[in-house]
């Protein structure tokens, strides 16, 4: 994950991160044996796929989000991946492969070991990003029994969390048809190797038939996340045009269906929102503003639309206006980290670094481990104010949050060299020793895989 977070396909967007992790925690609460520690992240890839890695890390492709026809479908796949974590399928597979000595596992361990040495991060980057982890996942594979166990465990988590369990069957039906999820072909470096089978699908459908009739609620937020994912996964002008056409077609279908479609207003607002995002990407700010107004006419209570207004102000260099909007939005949506990031960004753009430092410190107290970007921004403000020691301390915290411990130690060592304060030097020494010990512990753990 340390290397993977540097991958350009890793999605740092706070909205997508917050949404996926909230969904993951809602599902994991109902996991057998108690909720596991998981971290869900987005991957910019149009392939319909999801994957779980050791340590409870779960990646969700933008292609999976975009292809989902309902929130329960996306939740169904995530529940399945969480089940792989709770049932320890990955750990069991790693143990088996350790015994048989796969080269890829040793290569990954060697790459991580390189990253744990001073200056080794760059050497490791090309070896140990998600591609290598996925290569191991392909070699591991999951047995059909393990897959069926993940299906059943995930199904129960989905149902107990209040999602429509039929969503799991519908999405896996899509995945069977696309042959993209877990078949190891045509899916880029992230695919794994556990194809769905008719027997698994039949088992899932039989379980659904035995459930009593019930009503399920879905979040309107899903449609906005889906629209954002569609735009985020475009990597060239042609793909952006195609995404725009797809959203225009969805809008036409939604308008034609009218009130007969479930959540029609939210879906229409999300489609307009997506068109606004695409217009900003093309730097067509006039179209971005008009499509955003269409969205706001349908949905007056959406943090995504408030955030898009701020983004549009920033794109037009209207920073003071953006700051006022971000501050108002944060009061309206206090749990959304995206607005806190925008307030800090605006303060820095206006050269109000002292105010930005005070503000960022407040946000860090509130979300100490949920948003590493706060520490990076804090370091930048200290640096601009010619406060090198504080800047390096902040950057050390940033790297520690990412798991890049060697980089964190290097920052702390620089801070110690620059400081003339004996008490601060002593505090820095304690931090350096603790991180150095953690690096040594990680190296010892990985050495056995290297051999």
């Amino acid at each position: 994950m340390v290397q993977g977070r540097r991958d350009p396909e890793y999605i740092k967007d706070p909205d997508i991160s917050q949404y996926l992790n909230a969904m993951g925690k809602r599902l994991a609460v109902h996991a057998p044996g108690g909720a596991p520690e998981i971290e869900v992240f987005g991957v910019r890839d149009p392939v319909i796929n999801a994957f779980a890695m050791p340590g409870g890390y779960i990646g969700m492709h933008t292609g999976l989000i975009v292809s989902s026809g309902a929130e329960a479908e996306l939740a169904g796949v995530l529940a399945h991946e969480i089940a792989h974590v709770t049932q320890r399928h990955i750990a069991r597979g790693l143990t088996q492969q350790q015994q048989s000595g796969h080269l890829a596992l040793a290569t990954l361990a060697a790459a991580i070991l390189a990253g744990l040495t001073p200056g080794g991060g760059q050497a490791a980057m090309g070896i140990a990003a998600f591609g290598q982890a996925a290569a191991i996942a392909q070699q591991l594979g999951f047995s059909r029994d393990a897959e069926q166990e993940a299906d059943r465990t995930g199904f129960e988590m989905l149902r107990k969390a209040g999602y429509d369990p039929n969503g799991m069957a519908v999405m896996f039906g899509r995945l069977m048809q696309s042959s993209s999820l877990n078949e190891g072909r045509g899916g880029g470096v992230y695919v794994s190797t556990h194809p769905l089978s008719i027997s698994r699908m039949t088992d899932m459908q039989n379980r659904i038939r035995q459930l009593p009739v019930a009503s399920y609620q879905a979040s309107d937020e899903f449609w906005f996340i889906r629209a954002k994912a569609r735009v985020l996964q475009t990597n060239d002008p042609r793909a952006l045009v195609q995404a725009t056409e797809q959203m225009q077609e969805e809008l036409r279908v939604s308008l034609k269906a009218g009130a007969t479609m479930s959540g029609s207003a939210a879906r229409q607002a999300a489609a307009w929102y997506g068109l606004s995002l695409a217009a900003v990407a093309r730097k067509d700010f006039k179209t971005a503003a008009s499509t955003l107004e269409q969205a706001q006419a349908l949905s007056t209570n959406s943090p995504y639309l408030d955030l898009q207004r701020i983004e549009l102000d920033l794109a037009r260099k209207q920073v003071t206006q953006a700051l006022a909007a971000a501050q108002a939005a944060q009061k309206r949506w206090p749990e959304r980290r995206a607005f806190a990031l925008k307030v800090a960004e605006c303060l820095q753009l206006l050269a109000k670094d002292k105010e930005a430092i005070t503000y960022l410190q407040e946000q860090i107290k509130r979300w100490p481990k949920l948003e590493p970007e706060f520490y990076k921004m804090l370091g930048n403000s200290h640096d601009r104010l010619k406060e090198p020691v504080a800047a390096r301390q902040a950057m050390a915290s940033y790297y520690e949050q990412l798991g890049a411990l060697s980089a964190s130690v290097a920052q702390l060592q620089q801070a110690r060299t620059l400081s003339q304060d004996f008490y601060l030097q002593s505090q820095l020494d304690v931090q350096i020793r603790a991180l150095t010990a953690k690096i040594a512990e990680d190296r010892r753990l990985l050495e056995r895989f290297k051999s």
Side-chain angles (χ1 to χ4, degrees):
M1 284 303 299
V2 172
Q3 303 303 328
R5 289 188 180 101
R6 301 183 188 181
D7 192 314
E9 306 311 316
Y10 176 85
I11 294 178
K12 298 179 181 179
D13 183 86
D15 283 332
I16 289 181
S17 174
Q18 200 161 352
Y19 175 79
L20 291 177
N21 278 285
M23 176 182 281
K25 286 178 172 58
R26 177 177 168 183
L27 291 164
V29 165
H30 302 283
E37 287 292 328
I38 61 169
E39 179 180 326
V40 192
F41 59 94
V43 176
R44 187 179 287 100
D45 193 322
V47 172
I48 306 172
N49 196 24
F51 58 95
M53 299 196 302
Y57 297 101
I58 299 172
M60 307 287 281
H61 283 203
T62 51
L64 176 68
I65 300 171
V66 171
S67 67
S68 298
E71 186 175 44
E73 296 178 24
L74 181 64
V77 178
L78 181 52
H80 175 92
E81 297 301 331
I82 293 173
H84 277 311
V85 175
T86 63
Q87 303 309 109
R88 298 185 57 78
H89 293 154
I90 302 164
R92 280 148 53 183
L94 281 169
T95 301
Q96 292 168 4
Q97 293 308 322
Q98 181 191 354
Q99 293 168 353
S100 60
H102 266 286
L103 176 61
L105 190 59
T107 304
L108 178 64
I112 297 173
L113 284 164
L116 291 171
T117 60
Q122 292 298 322
M125 275 183 65
I127 310 170
F130 293 137
Q132 187 64 37
I136 293 173
Q138 287 181 317
Q139 290 174 357
L140 290 174
F142 290 125
S143 69
R144 183 158 294 180
D145 287 343
E147 284 306 310
Q148 196 162 50
E149 186 178 29
D151 290 345
R152 292 175 177 176
T153 303
F155 179 87
E156 285 302 306
M157 281 192 282
L158 188 71
R159 181 182 65 81
K160 291 176 181 177
Y163 292 104
D164 183 355
N166 192 56
M168 190 179 223
V170 172
M171 176 51 85
F172 280 177
R174 294 184 201 272
L175 296 169
M176 276 186 65
Q177 292 175 359
S178 70
S179 300
S180 293
L181 179 64
N182 303 324
E183 288 198 23
R185 57 177 182 269
V189 297
Y190 298 103
V191 295
S192 11
T193 53
H194 42 285
L196 293 162
S197 66
I198 294 296
S199 62
R200 286 172 58 198
M201 280 293 298
T202 302
D203 177 61
M204 201 179 305
Q205 290 165 349
N206 287 337
R207 289 174 179 274
I208 291 170
R209 291 191 193 100
Q210 294 170 12
L211 294 175
V213 177
S215 59
Y216 302 97
Q217 292 185 342
S219 168
D220 289 344
E221 192 174 0
F222 164 75
W223 302 110
F224 291 92
I225 287 293
R226 183 171 176 262
K228 175 171 273 195
R230 192 188 293 277
V231 176
L232 276 177
Q233 74 180 12
T234 61
N235 53 13
D236 56 55
R238 183 178 178 181
L240 187 60
V241 169
Q242 185 178 11
T244 299
E245 291 173 348
Q246 289 169 342
M247 288 184 290
Q248 288 171 338
E249 178 60 25
E250 284 192 2
L251 188 58
R252 281 193 290 270
V253 171
S254 180
L255 288 169
K256 186 176 180 180
T260 61
M261 180 179 288
S262 176
S264 179
R267 294 189 69 168
Q268 290 173 28
W272 285 116
Y273 163 73
L275 291 172
S276 182
L277 289 172
V280 169
R282 298 193 307 270
K283 300 189 184 303
D284 180 358
F285 302 134
K286 183 178 180 181
T287 299
S290 64
T291 49
L292 178 58
E293 287 173 3
Q294 293 278 7
Q296 290 174 321
L298 290 163
S299 178
T300 58
N301 193 40
S302 169
Y304 297 96
L305 302 184
D306 286 352
L307 183 62
Q308 179 63 359
R309 173 58 64 188
I310 297 164
E311 295 282 13
L312 191 53
D313 287 340
L314 288 172
R316 292 167 161 174
K317 310 298 183 184
Q318 298 170 343
V319 183
T320 302
Q321 186 173 320
L323 175 59
Q327 290 171 330
Q330 190 182 23
K331 289 179 181 178
R332 189 178 185 188
W333 312 99
E335 299 304 317
R336 315 284 306 199
R337 298 193 301 275
F339 293 119
L341 287 165
K342 286 302 168 188
V343 171
E345 180 184 347
C346 291
L347 289 171
Q348 290 183 328
L349 288 171
L350 294 168
K352 297 182 177 181
D353 285 294
K354 287 186 177 180
E355 190 175 339
I357 286 171
T358 301
Y359 178 80
L360 285 164
Q361 289 171 338
E362 291 172 355
Q363 306 315 305
I364 287 169
K365 286 180 181 178
R366 187 176 181 197
W367 292 303
K369 295 183 179 180
L370 292 178
E371 194 56 67
E373 198 67 21
F374 286 141
Y375 292 97
K376 185 177 181 180
M377 297 176 84
L378 182 63
N380 290 338
S381 281
H382 278 301
D383 193 50
R384 282 193 289 268
L385 291 174
K386 309 299 183 186
E387 298 169 352
V389 176
R392 281 158 179 77
Q393 284 181 285
M395 289 305 297
S397 297
Y398 169 70
Y399 287 121
E400 185 180 359
Q401 290 287 313
L402 295 183
L405 302 186
S406 292
S408 181
V409 168
Q411 291 290 323
L412 291 173
Q413 288 172 334
Q414 290 177 31
R416 191 193 187 287
T417 301
L418 291 167
S419 175
Q420 302 299 318
D421 186 325
F422 172 77
Y423 294 102
L424 179 57
Q425 288 179 332
S426 299
Q427 292 173 0
L428 292 170
D429 285 339
V430 171
Q431 288 180 268
I432 291 169
R433 283 196 297 270
L435 287 174
T436 302
K438 180 66 169 65
I439 291 170
E441 181 185 344
D442 289 346
R443 288 183 62 83
R444 285 193 297 271
L445 178 65
L446 290 163
E447 282 291 351
R448 56 178 180 167
F449 291 107
K450 185 180 179 182
S451 60

